[in-house]
Amino acid sequence: MTAVAAGCLATMLGDTGKTIGWQGWMVEFLLFLGLLRAVRLIWLFRLLIDVSDHDGTIAARSEPVRIIDPDE
């Protein structure tokens, strides 16, 4: 995301206002890169949520641990 922000900032600094030129293509590429990054993060967070949900349901179905007192 730093590359996306820095690239967009560089494009704004280099913008002359006459024509779009290569800066327009660079901004489109950077926005696409940022979109891919966001989708990847959503996918990873969804995997983490699924794993934590799975761990919680397995613990609820397991039998509780019984401690046997040797003095009895």
Side-chain angles (χ1 to χ4, degrees):
M1 294 311 263
T2 304
V4 173
C8 288
L9 180 62
T11 302
M12 286 192 303
L13 290 173
D15 186 23
T16 59
K18 296 176 185 174
T19 60
I20 294 176
W22 63 270
Q23 289 101 350
W25 289 105
M26 189 169 89
V27 168
E28 286 186 25
F29 173 74
L30 291 171
L31 290 175
F32 179 71
L33 189 66
L35 178 68
L36 286 178
R37 172 92 171 150
V39 168
R40 181 178 163 265
L41 283 175
I42 291 170
W43 176 71
L44 285 174
F45 288 146
R46 181 66 188 162
L47 286 176
L48 289 173
I49 290 170
D50 287 344
V51 167
S52 67
D53 286 346
H54 182 69
D55 287 344
T57 56
I58 287 176
R61 282 189 258 146
S62 64
E63 189 174 314
V65 176
R66 295 183 185 186
I67 300 174
I68 299 173
D69 188 12
D71 295 331
E72 284 187 9

